Amino acid sequence: MSQSHEQGLLYGLDARIGPVPAFFAALQHLLASVVGIITPPLIIGSVLGLQAYIPYLISMSLLVSGLGTFLQARRFFGVGAGMICLQGTSFAFLGVLLSGGLMVKARGGSPEEIMAMLFGCNLVAALIPILISRCVGPLRKVLTPVVTGTVITLIGISLIKVSITDWAGGHNARDFGAPGNLALGALTLLVIVALNRARNRWTRLVAVVAGIVVGCIAAALTGHLQLKAPDHSAALVLPALFKFGFAFDWTIFLPIALVSVIAVIEAVGDLTANCLISQQPIGGTAFQQRLQGGIMADGVSCLLAAIFSAFPNTTFAQNNGVIQMTGVASRYVGMVLGLMLVLLGLFPAVGSLLQQIPPPVLGGATIVMFGSVVAAGIRVMTQTPLGRREMLIVAVSFGVGLGVEAVPEVLKQLPPLINTLFGHAVTTGGLLAILLNMVLPEEARAVSVVPAKALSGSEEQA
């Protein structure tokens, strides 16, 4: 048992954990994130007409996610945050990658040429987080607690939207919002909450897995789950370096580069929340080193993604909620998680089975995890009392960011690039928070002056 138990953690960041509890803890991270990892290559492949390569793209996404997650947890030579930092493709990249791919396709490019261009531009863009990681000191002056907390909270709110959609049945589901879907999600959530509040540490450790298993059993009994045999022809998929070649175009690169900068801002928020939940300081030299190593590892992960034909990787927020729920922050779980993802990439049949978990079950399981991300953001934001200036930053950032995401049509008459970049709450709200924090002057702090006579009197009484 970790010494962090009295702080609400079963296993602290550097606590050694046995193979069995490590497996179950890692499995819960995997179940909470596997759909988010495989969805970007699935969407990009479908839209750009890369259907023949989608299984390979999914396998490489899982493989690179595992390598990046292991690197973040293991922390080689200062590269990595030394925490459970799950890696995956941010949905912020989808718009610019699809635009770039469609541009190549309009020129008559083949599927192989489309991927050569995308992965080539991604390879160069991977240098951006690596360079930014060397400037973490000045970056921390811009990303104050109120800014970082705002970004974390917006990330959590955006993720909750995904959970609720899954809970109701998933995108384009014919029975969206059906009582049966809502009941499955509610049952999953109820099991997770009940087990999480139990006194036995093992029940808390397996709460998410148990909730998903119970939900899947209920789904099978009610006809919501019908397992299908894996459709992959190859039992083992081996990675290849630059499988589709290398190409580069400044027109396609610049939007990807801009999103890479925005992804760093998101990563800072995710890493800060991870530190907070893992009972680590969110200030000082140690925190700065974690930020530097985490952002650097994001860049290295993006390099690996481009080399092995996967899309850009950044730190996911999903696993922060799992740490909160399980009470397991041990970075050794991150290493086990990384190895599990690598195996899923090499043996796609297992990943194919995990993809069949009904969306309502996943929605019920992830809603409380993503809600924990929102709570972590509020905790960061309120580290210091919020004055009128800070309240104004939060109000404008939340109002505009959430407003744009709720009514995306407000940007439809602007250039497509603007629509793509600023159509998300995290991007718009995060950049607004940074801008306002830099522009609005600091308020003068009122200093209370105690009369000398009163002071001396109190000293005498003491």
Side-chain angles (χ1 to χ4, degrees):
M1 183 71 66
S2 167
Q3 294 178 353
S4 300
H5 179 64
E6 66 274 6
Q7 301 176 358
L9 291 177
L10 296 177
Y11 294 93
L13 187 65
D14 293 308
R16 292 285 181 175
I17 181 171
V20 175
F23 170 79
F24 279 107
L27 181 60
Q28 293 178 102
H29 286 276
L30 180 68
L31 293 175
S33 60
V34 66
V35 174
I37 295 172
I38 67 175
T39 298
L42 189 60
I43 294 174
I44 294 171
S46 300
V47 174
L48 297 182
L50 311 175
Q51 281 81 358
Y53 297 104
I54 287 179
Y56 182 80
L57 294 176
I58 290 176
S59 292
M60 292 304 100
S61 294
L62 290 165
L63 174 72
V64 174
S65 174
L67 294 175
T69 302
F70 186 90
L71 177 63
Q72 286 278 21
R74 181 61 180 85
R75 196 175 189 180
F76 291 98
F77 303 105
V79 180
M83 300 186 296
I84 309 175
C85 297
L86 183 68
Q87 300 285 286
T89 300
S90 170
F91 283 82
F93 282 99
L94 286 187
V96 292
L97 291 175
L98 289 174
S99 299
L102 291 172
M103 191 180 300
V104 178
K105 191 174 183 179
R107 298 171 185 168
S110 64
E112 292 79 9
E113 291 171 334
I114 291 174
M115 288 186 282
M117 180 66 71
L118 291 181
F119 297 137
C121 292
N122 292 341
L123 182 71
V124 180
L127 300 176
I128 293 175
I130 292 176
L131 294 174
I132 293 178
S133 71
R134 314 317 299 172
C135 311
V136 169
L139 190 66
R140 286 298 300 158
K141 296 179 181 178
V142 176
L143 300 178
T144 60
V146 67
V147 173
T148 307
T150 300
V151 172
I152 296 172
T153 306
L154 287 172
I155 291 171
I157 293 174
S158 299
L159 291 172
I160 286 176
K161 181 180 176 181
V162 176
S163 288
I164 289 295
T165 302
D166 283 341
W167 192 335
H171 283 290
N172 302 321
R174 294 182 179 180
D175 60 345
F176 189 86
N181 293 337
L182 301 180
L184 279 177
L187 174 64
T188 305
L189 176 60
L190 180 63
V191 172
I192 292 173
V193 172
L195 294 180
N196 185 261
R197 297 311 302 161
R199 293 181 178 274
N200 188 287
R201 63 168 178 158
W202 277 99
T203 56
R204 182 178 176 184
L205 194 62
V206 302
V208 178
V209 173
I212 291 177
V213 169
V214 171
C216 286
I217 292 173
L221 294 175
T222 56
H224 288 79
L225 173 61
Q226 296 177 349
L227 291 177
K228 301 176 183 178
D231 55 359
H232 295 281
S233 56
L236 176 65
V237 177
L238 296 177
L241 303 181
F242 296 107
K243 182 179 178 68
F244 304 102
F246 179 91
F248 184 81
D249 187 315
W250 282 101
T251 307
I252 297 174
F253 167 74
L254 289 177
I256 296 176
L258 181 55
V259 176
S260 296
V261 175
I262 294 170
V264 172
I265 298 173
E266 292 187 23
V268 170
D270 293 335
L271 291 167
T272 304
N274 199 321
C275 285
L276 187 69
I277 295 171
S278 301
Q279 304 290 350
Q280 299 300 305
I282 53 175
T285 304
F287 177 60
Q288 183 169 317
Q289 290 175 346
R290 289 197 188 281
L291 280 185
Q292 181 174 329
I295 297 171
M296 171 72 81
D298 271 12
V300 174
S301 187
C302 287
L303 282 175
L304 293 173
I307 292 172
F308 290 116
S309 304
F311 299 106
N313 269 4
T314 60
T315 299
F316 265 16
Q318 283 92 324
N319 64 307
N320 290 334
V322 181
I323 297 173
Q324 181 78 44
M325 289 295 298
T326 61
V328 179
S330 173
R331 63 193 183 95
Y332 299 101
V333 170
M335 300 180 204
V336 175
L337 174 61
L339 294 175
M340 292 171 69
L341 287 167
V342 169
L343 291 176
L344 285 184
L346 295 176
F347 301 96
V350 181
S352 179
L353 290 175
L354 292 177
Q355 294 173 40
Q356 298 182 46
I357 297 176
V361 175
L362 282 176
T366 56
I367 189 71
V368 67
M369 302 176 198
F370 298 162
S372 298
V373 177
V374 176
I378 294 173
R379 286 175 62 187
V380 173
M381 192 189 310
T382 56
Q383 279 184 322
T384 57
L386 298 181
R388 289 184 301 169
R389 173 182 177 274
E390 289 74 21
M391 288 295 292
L392 185 61
I393 293 173
V394 174
V396 174
S397 302
F398 270 62
V400 177
L402 295 176
V404 166
E405 185 155 313
V407 190
E409 295 82 6
V410 72
L411 302 176
K412 70 178 182 179
Q413 298 192 36
L414 297 178
L417 178 60
I418 301 297
N419 201 336
T420 299
L421 293 178
F422 299 101
H424 305 282
V426 176
T427 303
T428 304
L431 290 178
L432 266 177
I434 292 173
L435 181 62
L436 291 173
N437 186 58
M438 295 172 63
V439 172
L440 296 181
E442 293 277 356
E443 292 180 347
R445 299 290 181 183
V447 180
S448 59
V449 179
V450 182
K453 183 177 180 180
L455 182 61
S456 62
S458 62
E459 289 175 348
E460 290 176 359
Q461 291 177 0

